[in-house]
Amino acid sequence: MRLQCFGHRLHLAIENAVKNESRVTRATKLCKELVGHFSHSWKKKTKLTDAQKELNLPEHTLITECQTRWGSRQKMVDRVLEQNKALNQVLSEDRKTRHLVPTWQDIKVLESINSALKPLQEFTDILSGEEYVSVSYLKPVLHLLKSTTLAAKEEDTDLTKTIKSKIIAYLEKHYSDPATRELLDVASLLNPRFKKDYITSPENVTHIKERVRAEMEEVVQTERRPQVSSDTGAMEKKGLRSLGSLLTKQTLSVVVQVEDIIEAELNSYLMAPVIAEESDPLAWWKIHSVNTKQTGQAPTVLCL
């Protein structure tokens, strides 16, 4: 699962948060209409540029919402709010376009939408550039959205708070399955950036550690399963024995406490400091896997 997939889920959450809001539908529809009007009239574009200069506004072009471009609605709304005075001046000059001038109620709605969605824009830009295998990021990302990015602020309007809460509720619902939450906890634990930081309770930490231990034991047992070569099998059938076979039997007779090795490795990993946020967790595991092999210790069986 990549973070781009989560970005798509977030886009659906936003659509769900505003789909039954008539105020939002009206205001965003008006935005599309006035943006479309300016995009099809070079005269209106020229007048808009003149108005921008007169009003000392940035000479930015309007942005059209595109269903296939994530965040384009918020960018469209943000640009209309930025250029509202210039747009009003140009549209008010022509009786045929005065109906496109946003009312103060429309502006309040657009400001509420922008306040709810703009903090997500930087967040989603980072998502789109993420290259790592990233299921381990989902728990931290959900926590960040709930505690910071989409947290209600004192200055938020009721509409802004509603949109934020609906987005969070939608995401929590789609990641509420116990099996999914356990998978996210395991993945987060095995990311050296996070480890236990985003597992919600001590009981969950204990449960996740037990699951990881069990999977580590399974990996070790699979790797240690004896492989009998065809030559060895032929010699045993003939009743012949070699010095190599004696040494092999002697090695296998040494009892290795797999559970102790696994416990030591897991505890060592969890007690070590988390790595920097910008570090590549896959590169970290690759380096530490090589180190354990070179020192002759039991191979690292923890993996992302």
Side-chain angles (χ1 to χ4, degrees):
M1 184 186 296
R2 297 184 62 82
L3 281 183
Q4 286 88 338
C5 299
F6 179 78
H8 176 68
R9 179 70 69 188
L10 183 57
H11 177 70
L12 295 177
I14 292 172
E15 291 298 316
N16 179 74
V18 300
K19 68 179 181 180
N20 294 322
E21 288 285 347
S22 58
R23 297 171 294 171
V24 173
T25 301
R26 170 189 156 75
T28 53
K29 181 181 178 182
L30 183 63
C31 273
K32 292 179 185 179
E33 289 178 353
L34 70 86
V35 169
H37 181 77
F38 278 90
S39 65
H40 291 95
S41 173
W42 65 268
K43 289 183 179 180
K44 284 293 190 295
K45 288 180 183 178
T46 302
K47 288 186 176 182
L48 179 60
T49 301
D50 293 339
Q52 289 170 335
K53 292 177 180 177
E54 181 182 339
L55 296 168
N56 294 317
L57 291 173
E59 295 180 32
H60 294 157
T61 58
L62 301 180
I63 298 173
T64 304
E65 179 183 6
C66 177
Q67 292 296 328
T68 59
R69 275 173 45 209
W70 162 251
S72 61
R73 176 184 299 176
Q74 181 275 322
K75 291 179 180 179
M76 175 187 71
V77 169
D78 191 48
R79 184 59 52 82
V80 167
L81 291 171
E82 176 195 81
Q83 299 296 329
N84 183 45
K85 290 182 179 179
L87 291 169
N88 285 357
Q89 180 172 306
V90 175
L91 294 171
S92 298
E93 292 174 353
D94 186 349
R95 287 186 302 173
K96 295 180 180 179
T97 59
R98 287 176 187 170
H99 69 284
L100 295 176
V101 175
T103 65
W104 68 267
Q105 293 99 329
D106 293 325
I107 293 299
K108 289 295 183 182
V109 170
L110 293 175
E111 288 174 345
S112 294
I113 297 171
N114 203 41
S115 295
L117 301 187
K118 192 169 185 177
L120 291 172
Q121 191 58 50
E122 180 182 358
F123 180 82
T124 51
D125 287 344
I126 295 173
L127 289 185
S128 63
E130 182 60 53
E131 296 179 353
Y132 303 135
V133 177
S134 46
V135 65
S136 61
Y137 288 53
L138 282 178
K139 282 294 289 288
V141 162
L142 289 168
H143 176 79
L144 177 65
L145 287 177
K146 187 174 181 179
S147 63
T148 304
T149 310
L150 293 174
K153 298 179 181 178
E154 193 173 321
E155 64 271 20
D156 285 346
T157 65
D158 289 342
L159 178 57
T160 297
K161 292 176 181 178
T162 297
I163 293 173
K164 287 181 175 181
S165 64
K166 284 184 176 180
I167 293 172
I168 290 297
Y170 182 93
L171 293 174
E172 288 185 335
K173 176 182 177 181
H174 282 79
Y175 293 101
S176 62
D177 177 72
T180 299
R181 296 186 72 85
E182 183 171 317
L183 172 63
L184 298 184
D185 280 338
V186 170
S188 180
L189 182 79
L190 297 182
N191 189 323
R193 285 177 167 185
F194 312 127
K195 299 186 180 179
K196 298 182 291 183
D197 290 349
Y198 295 96
I199 301 178
T200 54
S201 68
E203 292 78 13
N204 282 353
V205 172
T206 300
H207 174 70
I208 296 303
K209 286 174 66 176
E210 288 299 325
R211 172 171 170 175
V212 171
R213 285 192 194 95
E215 293 191 15
M216 291 170 71
E217 288 182 17
E218 184 177 343
V219 171
V220 171
Q221 295 298 343
T222 300
E223 291 182 351
R224 290 189 173 186
R225 193 169 296 152
Q227 302 293 328
V228 180
S229 67
S230 57
D231 292 340
T232 302
M235 292 178 66
E236 288 181 352
K237 286 182 180 179
K238 296 178 180 179
L240 301 176
R241 301 181 68 187
S242 66
L243 179 60
S245 67
L246 291 175
L247 292 175
T248 300
K249 290 181 180 296
Q250 179 65 28
T251 301
L252 292 175
S253 67
V254 178
V255 178
V256 179
Q257 298 297 327
V258 175
E259 294 82 0
D260 293 341
I261 295 173
I262 289 174
E263 184 70 20
E265 182 179 340
L266 181 57
N267 288 337
S268 176
Y269 164 72
L270 293 176
M271 291 175 65
V274 296
I275 63 176
E277 290 294 326
E278 296 77 16
S279 300
D280 181 354
L282 296 181
W284 187 93
W285 278 113
K286 184 176 181 181
I287 291 171
H288 285 74
S289 176
V290 170
N291 288 342
T292 55
K293 290 176 181 178
Q294 288 178 345
T295 58
Q297 298 174 2
T300 298
V301 292
L302 288 166
C303 61
L304 289 175

